Structure formats: C-alpha cells, structure tokens
Amino acid sequence: MALVGCGSGASAIGSTLLYAATAPFSTPLPALDPSFQYIRVRHEGRDAFLARGYAEATQHGFREVYYSAERETLTLLDGRLVGFSSNGMSTRVDSSGAPPIWPTLVEEMPLAPVRYARQSSRLPNGPLAVREEVEILRLTPSSVRAKVEAEDALVWAREVFHPVGGAAGQTMDSYASDYAYLANLLSQATKTNRGEVGPLPVYSRQCIGPTFCIEIEPWPAR
Amino acid sequence: MRTLLFFMAWLLLSLASATVQAKSAQVVMVGPQAEGQRLSKWLRSTPEMTGLSSVESAHLAYLSRREEALSKSDRDLVEGILMERSLAAALDPAGALRLLQLVRGLPHAGRVVLESSEPEWLEVNPVFDPVLREGDRIVRFSQPRDLVVVLSNGRFCRLAHQPGQLVYGYINACRGDSGWWARLGGGSSHAPVWMTQPNGDVQRIGDRGQRRFQDQGLKPLNVPEAGTWIWAPDAGSGFGDSFSWAFAELLAAQGPAGDYLRPVQAEEIRIDAPALASPVRPTASAWGAVGLIQTPTARMSPDSELTVSVSRTQPYRRTNVFVQALPWMEFGFRYTDIEDQLYSNIPAFSGDQSYKDKSIDAKFRLLQESDTGWWPDLSVGFIDVGGTGLFSSEFLAATKQFGNVDATIGMAWGYLGQTGGMTNPIGSVVDKYKTRQATSNSGRGGQFSQDTWFSGPVGLFGGLQWQTPWQRWTAKLEYESNDYSREPLGRPLRSDSPVNFGLTYAATRWVDLSVSYERGNEVSFVISLHAPLNRKPPAKLLDPKPLALEPSAMTNMVLQHSLEQVDWQTVRTEAEALTQWRIGTLRIVGDTLEVVVTQTSGLYTSDRVDLMSRLLHTKAPSHIRLFVVQLQTRGVEMNRVVVDRAQFAKERSQLVSVREQRLQPAMVSVDPMGSPEINIIQAPETLPGSSWWGDLTGGLGMSYAHHLGGPDGFWLYQIGVSASAEWRPRPDTWVSALGNHRLIDNYERFKITTESALPQVRTLMRRYYTDTRTTIPNLQATHIGQLSIGGGQHFYSVYAGYLEWMFGGAGAEYLWRPWRSPVSVGVDINRVRQREFNQRLDFRDYETTTGHITGYWETGWNDIMVQLKVGQYLAQDKGATLDVSRIWSNGVSFGMYATKTNVSAEQFGEGSFDKGVYLSIPFDALLPKRSTFRGSFVWQPITRDGGAILGRRYPLYGLSGQRAPRAMNFGY
C-alpha cells in the first residue's frame, strides 16, 4: 500500500484498495464436497482443507494421500505424516519400520517407551537422510494442554524425536509430535490382507524438524 | 607427430575407460507396453516401484533416450576440449586424459531432472509428469552417503559426506591442502567451483567461499549434500566457464555421485576440518545498517535485502532505509530527528518542528570471510557522507564467526571514534590526517566531505553477537568509542559506560525487534522490517488459472476446429482480459495465426504470451502450426514472439527437460525487422480489427503526493481524486490528459517558498502544490514512429502540450536502439514555457530550451543499468546526470542519480548539487493478481533549481522496452 500513492496509473490506487478491501482476512470455510473425506491442516494459524485421494493398506501400514487445491500432496502412514510435496519442494519421512502408535496406548503403562528409528529427507538441496531416534510415550492427562484436558474421551500419545544427524552444521534439538485417539476405538483393529489397520488419530500436531509443525484433524471433526 | 600423440591418447583412453564403473543400482527398463504412459501411472503399476518407502521413492532418476541424444552435444563439447588439451603439452595433458577417462566411463546420460518422483503428486501436476517412451529407464539409486570432488588435474576423490561441511572443505581435503595458506583461505580454492547437486541442480560458486544464503532461510548455498559432484578446476587451469558448465551438466545427467556411481580408483578421504556453524543472522543497528547496537560490523545483509528501521535512543529518533544494493555494498539513507533541538536557530521559522538531519551511508566489503581459513569479513564504511556531516564517521571493521558467535573489532574515525583511543595510523604518514577538521560543508550540506575522511583520532570498537539456542533470539554486546560529551549541536549526553548490551527478537520472518541498554543509563529500541527486493513474484491466485493443456490434444492435433467455427471476437476479448493488452487484429496466413497486439503493458511479457498461447491453442483451427504474436507499443512493432504450437503444448502438459527446452524452444522472440520469413505482407483472411474512429479510454482513481523533510513540516501530503483519459485516433498517435482534484491535505502548514539564485524552475513548487485544488498536470499530443532506414533500430517521437505539472511546450526525441542491444543512445530537445501555478491553460513568462543526449547501458553485471545524460537543464544550466540502478528479474529496480552542472555549490544552494535515490516496484511483483501498474518512491534530499530535468511522460526508452536484452526474462 505504501507505494500505491506513487503508482504509475490513476486507477492503480483504486485497484489496490479494491484488492485490499476484498482480500479475505482469514480463510473462509470452503464448501466441501461430501463425496470426499477431508482433513484440516493448520500451519501458523492458517487453515487448509485437503481432500483424500488414496487410502490403501500397504506392507508399511495404512497409507492415505491428501490433495490441496494448489496440487500439493500430503501423505500419512498410520496417521503419521510421511510426505509433503509441493511445486519444487518435497519432504519425505521414512517411517516404514515404525510400529503403529495405537497398540502402545492399549497397554496403558508399557514397561518402557517404545523406540524406533526414522529418517527424513528434504528435496531438492535440503538435508538428506537426517536420522532420528524416536520414542513413543503415552501422555498423562496432566501433561496434555489444559484446553483438551476436559476431553477425557481422548487418549494422547507423544513421539519424541532425537536427531542424530543434522544439516548445515546445526545440532538439531529434539522435538515432539502429539496424537489424540478416541479412547473407545483404541482396541479396535481391522484385519486386512496386508496386516492390521487400527484406529487413526482424531487430532495430531506433527513436526518434521524442530521448526516445522502442522496440526492435522479429520474434517468435519469426529 | 600430432597424429601419433592422438593415437596414443586414444589407446590409453580405451584401456582406461573400463576402470570406472557404476555401482549396481536398480534399473528398470520401460517396455513397449508402457509407451506413451505417464511416469506417475507407471510408478503405481510397476511391482518394483510400488513397495518403496516414502524416502526410497524419492531417490528415483528418470533416464530418457531422447535426452541422451540431446545431451550428446554436451558430451562432444567436453570430450573435444579434453582431447585437445591432452595433446597440448602446456596444459597438463595427463590430467586432461584422466578427465577424458572419467567422462568416457560415465555409464549414464539422459537424466531428466524430476521435480518429484511421487506418483500421486505427479498425477495432479501433469506438467511435471513425463510421458515415457520405450527404452527409457528408471533408476533407483541408494541413499547417497558420499560425494565426489573432481580436480582439473584429473584426480578425483570420494569423500564421506559430513553434514554442514562447506564445499571448500571437501576440495581442500581432496587437494591435500592443509597448510597455513589454505587455512588462511588462500590457495587455488579461490577459483570458481561447480556443484552438481544430487537432484541435478547445477550451481556455480563464486570466486571465494561465499557465505550466501538461500532466499528464505539460513542455509548457505555452498553446503553440498551427499551425492554432490564438485568440479573444482584450479584457477590457472585454463578451463573456461563454457567447458565447466557443460561438464557440470554432463555430470548432472548421470545421477548422484558417490554411492550410485563409484569411481573405483577414486581416493577415499576423511576430512578433519570441522563443519562451520550456521552463520549468525545479520541484524540492524540503531543506525539501520547491519551492526551491533551503536557500532557497525563487517557483515552484509543477504543480497538485495531492503531494511527499513526506526530506532530511538534519546534524544535521537532515526528512520533508516537501507538496501543491500550489491552482495558487497550496503547503501542507505536516514532522517535523524533530534528531539531536543528546534528545526533552525530562528524559533519563529522552526515552529514546533524539531531538528531533522539527513544523511547517506555506504559500506563496502573488502574481503570476505574464508569458509575454511582464518580471514574475517573486512569492510570499510562511511556514515553521514552526503548530509551536513553532523554524525560523519568512517570505519574499518573485521568480523569473524566462532561457533555461534560473531566477533567484530574495528577502528572508527569521526563521530564513532571520538574517544580517540589510538593514534591515526594514516596520520603518522601524512600529517594532515592527524587532526579532523569540522565538516567543510556543514550548513549547506550535500557534498561529500572527502577532505576529512579517515582523519583525526581513531577510536577502537568491537563486540559480540551471539546466536542463542533459541533461534529467534540474538544477544549483542559491544564496546563503543563514541565520546558523548561532544555530541553535535553542542548538547553533551551523559555516558556512564562505553559498554552496551541488547537483545534482538525475530518476531516474524520480516520483523526484528531490538532492545538495548546503552551508555549505562539509557534503554533504546529498534524496530526493523526487512524483505528481499529480488523476491519471486507471488503466484497469481486471484486470477483465473491458466488453461490446462492435454498432451494428446496438441501432439496429435486432434482439435478439429475449422476456421468458420471460431468466434474470433470472443477470442480477442478473452485474450485481452487475460493479458491486459489491447489486441488489434488476428490474421491467418497458411498455417500461421498472427495476433497483432497494438498496446502492450506490464513487464512480464513471457507470462502474458503464455496465457495468450494457451487460449489460442484451445481455439485455433487444427491446421495452425505457428502463433506469431506481434507486440506493438503505441502502434510500433517492438518485439515478435513466434510460438511453435506443438512444442508449446508439449511443454505445458508434460515434463520436458531444460535441455530440450533450450534446444527446441517453444517460444522464440525475434527482431520484427529481422525475420522476413514470417513477416506477413498480405493477410488474405482478416479478422476483426479496431474501429475507424480510434479508441477512447479513461479512468478515475485516487491520487496521493507528498513532500518530505521540508521546514514547514516533515510530512506534507495531499490525497485527491484523479481522472485520466486518452484518445488514440491512430495506434501511434494519441492525446493524453490527466486531471487532479485535491481533497485532503495539510498544506495550511506549507508556507515557505524557497529563494534561489537560479531561474526558479522547481523551487516554486509550493505555489504549484497549493495554488488551486483542481489542476491539469498533463495534456499533450504525442506521435511516435520507427524510421524505415537502418534495420528498424531508429525511433522518434514528437509531442506538444502541457508536458508536466510545471512546464508545457513542444519537443522531439530520437532513439537508436538495436534489437537486444545493451547499449542505446537517445537525443531529446524541447522548447518549454513555465505554466501558471494553477496548472490550467495559462503560462508564465519564463521559457527555455532544454534537452539531452542520453546513453543507456545494460551492463549485464549484477543486473546493473547505467544512464548518462548530458545537456541543458530547465534552469539553463549545462551538465550531466549519472543514474545507476539495479533491476532485478522481478522488475523491481533500485537506483541513485546525481547531477552536476556548471552551477557552483553556492549558486545551487542547500544540497550543493542535485541527487536522489529511487525504488520502483511493479505491482505484478507484489500482488497475487496480474497488474500493469508500477509504484515508485523517489527520495530527493532537497529540491532545488539546478540540474532540473523536464518530466517527459513518454520517453522512447521506456516505450521500446520490448527490445531490451532482458525483455522476455522478467517474471516468475
């Protein structure tokens, strides 16, 4: 707007004011096609609604691919974020050896945290194969944020990531992703020819690296 | 003898080439059943690919037979040069032979770089989804762990990838450079280096280990990933850039280095050099430049960064605008509001306005910190060089990073070094530098006070900037050598400590907030906004999406429109809406559809031709093979774009390699006068053209104008409504008018009309601003044309009327501008008379002749453009104006100008000579919607009469911008 006054044409100001006045201040709730399943993805306070294109049981787990209107894809494996692709940028996480989270929650107090390893790559020219050791913990109600404490129907899990190979010389800090499951569905799993498919999280806040986190939630919320 | 040598070389090569072998990688050949299938579909249906994990599927390479054939020219070029060098005794023939051996042994070529190998993403992004042909190959390579350095002596090393290690660390390890000279950053590592990243991107790293940053992040560009090929020719090896690019691209056509392709005789080396920590983010000091709290550092902002900051350290409030004009030059200007001083010594004149000081700063980097050695960044800077010199100071600063701490030490002369802790080393050689004279132009200001530079006592300063573990927080500590008891204007400040400390918080990506405790008794604040001027324009999400094209529709030409079925009027209307251009006629001659654009606008020509071609492709009859788009400006054809319809549709609907796009471009821009083969003389089928009475257009809008920094008030403004109209009886002849009505202003404070020793051509501006509310700033008739002689390089214009808000008259301009030439020359001559203050139809008595010879030079270096004007100015003074600007590929330009005429500084008055800084931004670069408008901000420290240029509305250089070397390169 600061440059508008010095614009090259008389209607430049009008055009820009019109744009500024009509530009939405927040994301309007889009009209969703009921024939698709959606997730709401929230990043830095902004929402995007992604439609599910694929849902398939694979040898690595239950894989879902969601699409944005801007032709980006987001891939979940057993509810975990394992891939995000947009034009010119792709982030991949290899969690194919990861155990599903939900059995950990069925055993209310596992003797020790469940551990596995994963690696992530960011393309192009991003860090390749950043290795991380992961532990899955069940969260006690007191460690869950106050606003969801009341929701006793939810059971929460946390994955804590400890990077063991950083990029650009940085020692990356540990970080965590949180998942919420409906308690009454925890013990339900479906047998498929590729293995068991368990309940999926109804809310998660997942991170790829200490500085990039998104919130994912089926939409409409269950 | 030469033949014998050649034979021996060939023999050796044949024997040796077998010693390079590829590590086994999973290669899947595309069979005949997949001919014509998209890669995405193939990946989802091929058993070897469906079981891959998310990361595994990211490491796929697509090798195309077609690309292999196209890349043969690169390979031939590289092999030819190496073969020649292997026969030249003076140029290390053995090394060339070893390189030739490497090249011959490369097993793969024809790699087409994929944006992504995720089939689900490719499915919805078909323009990145290649169509497979039988014999193409898909290679799944293992996760790279190593990288390979290739030296110009033919030696190459495989090194384990070390996260964060810089490119020169690997090169020095491969060379075995570990001595003191290499650690100082010396040795042959200063030569340019080519990095071929594992995804196929090729980067040229400059003459030193640059600490450059990616646009939005802090990751240095010279940190190679695992799988990178590094081509590091020695400085004196004689390998030119063309060879190196071809060689690097040949490597890019292979795949990741290291695991995938393992040269068996490559030496495996571990490197001991520690990886460099991430650079500490440069932030603004209270003076707006990159620095600590009050003191500067040797650091620079990322190239092209604009920083606007406001700081307050009682009694100073500084408003600073700084631009990283070149990677090694920071430039800025500021207003310093001295809150406890009146504007002048005369209270009645000052009113309630406090003292405002204008100043210009510049900082130049002399040495760049060595990534692998001990050199620091070393910069020299000048503070308040062009103003009254109240705060004038020079400094030399060195900054070096140690872990997460940036340490700076420096010497300052003048204001920043008033404590004078040490003897001036220059003064010990030249006596006059021992003492610092008061700035000679204090009072009048505006001239460089070079006589005082680096003179007087020297103060030492220094400090630390620590990147805390919390990424958004940076801590600063400094020791300053300013003597606050000797502040300008005779108002000493109490200082209890020379040590200041502070914190900077990165509130957002674009906003820094700083707080500091200074002088042992003062808390100060800085708010700093920064943004890159070279930012990629945003996607035009608010415009209709470009029409999607299907490959079958154009490769097989299945569109079956006939000529009669096409509604050409609708096509023209739609094309005008898409491009915001005015379209005259559409003609079909044989297999060519010609579109005549009578008025182009906006800077992003390629984007608009793309939009139009998509539309034409979906509408045009199937026999049309070429689209020829004539781009006229004001009826004169300035550019012609020929679009190969089939190739265009192919590029817009499937992945086409960069090499193929280069060798078989879908869109070619040609000189309209130099392409007779497509210069259609007769048009047998003429489609709708323009009306016989010409065009009349107009519009209403808002207007805004301001006057900054004057004695009546710091900010005097007006807001109003404006009306514009244009009548074009012919495309090359038009009458334009601009009216303005002032609605809101604070001109009641605008009281002082400046005196002048020259004819008052600009200093009467107060009268022009305030005399009446309704004005006609412009009303003129203009005709432009192209001379038929000289191959279309000569243009002219004639014009008459009320040419600008203060002058009217008549004039003419001639411009010599060869097609795509970096150099042009123009001449303009004008007889003008001063207009009445009411800017209606009457004139005042003063009249003069003004005109210039102007040379334009697009240097091709760092996007720099130079203009030199020589001639007579409005006040009848004679002299020259030098204008230097940088124009980024998004169209944003930043420049400075200065005019020196035969008027003395005394005659000129305050400011001493005319000068200014400007920033011009096309709205296309900012908005998510296409726009043809441009916003400009000009900062002229003071308006005087000397060096005043007539503000012509339609200079030919601007109108002929389509002929510029970069005309097709602006945009996304």
Side-chain angles (χ1 to χ4, degrees), chain A residues 56-136:
Chain A
E56 53 201 1
T58 71
Q59 64 193 50
H60 304 303
F62 184 65
R63 182 169 178 272
E64 299 166 280
V65 181
Y66 289 87
Y67 292 90
S68 78
E70 295 308 316
R71 303 179 182 219
E72 298 148 323
T73 59
L74 185 146
T75 307
L76 302 176
L77 191 67
D78 285 330
R80 284 190 181 95
L81 177 63
V82 295
F84 175 75
S85 294
S86 67
N87 191 0
M89 197 273 277
S90 175
T91 297
R92 308 291 186 90
V93 179
D94 191 349
S95 294
S96 50
I101 298 171
W102 56 271
T104 310
L105 303 177
V106 176
E107 304 168 33
E108 286 200 1
M109 288 292 290
L111 293 176
V114 177
R115 289 193 168 85
Y116 70 96
R118 75 173 195 178
Q119 62 175 358
S120 63
S121 296
R122 187 165 296 172
L123 302 167
N125 301 337
L128 289 174
V130 176
R131 284 175 292 121
E132 293 167 325
E133 288 168 0
V134 191
E135 42 182 349
I136 306 174

Side-chain angles (χ1 to χ4, degrees), chain A residues 2-17 19 23-24 44 54 56 59-60 63 65 67 69-75 82-96 119-121 123-129 131 165-170 173 211, chain B residues 44 51-59 115-118 120-121 123-126 128 143-145 163-164 197-199 201 203 214 219-220 223 225-226 275-278 469 471 541-542 545 699-704 706 722 724 738 919 921 923 926-928 932-937:
Chain A
L3 285 166
V4 163
C6 318
S8 54
S11 56
I13 300 174
S15 308
T16 307
L17 285 175
Y19 163 67
E44 293 183 347
Y54 287 96
E56 53 201 1
Q59 64 193 50
H60 304 303
R63 182 169 178 272
V65 181
Y67 292 90
E70 295 308 316
R71 303 179 182 219
E72 298 148 323
T73 59
L74 185 146
T75 307
V82 295
F84 175 75
S85 294
S86 67
N87 191 0
M89 197 273 277
S90 175
T91 297
R92 308 291 186 90
V93 179
D94 191 349
S95 294
S96 50
Q119 62 175 358
S120 63
S121 296
L123 302 167
N125 301 337
L128 289 174
R131 284 175 292 121
Q170 279 190 318
D173 299 329
T211 56
Chain B
R44 284 192 63 84
L52 301 181
S53 74
S54 184
V55 168
E56 283 171 340
S57 67
H59 299 297
E115 286 287 315
S116 169
S117 52
E118 182 187 334
E120 292 83 6
W121 185 84
E123 274 180 334
V124 291
N125 292 278
F128 297 111
Q143 174 66 59
R145 304 270 177 218
Q197 296 276 17
N199 74 327
D201 278 354
Q203 295 164 331
Q214 283 178 340
K219 181 177 176 294
V223 174
E225 296 300 335
L276 196 69
S278 294
Q471 277 197 325
L541 299 176
L542 297 184
K545 285 190 176 175
L700 280 175
M702 292 174 64
S703 65
Y704 167 79
H706 65 223
S722 66
S724 62
L738 184 65
L919 175 67
I921 301 179
F923 285 18
L926 295 177
L927 299 178
T932 58
F933 298 117
R934 177 178 274 277
S936 299
F937 172 81

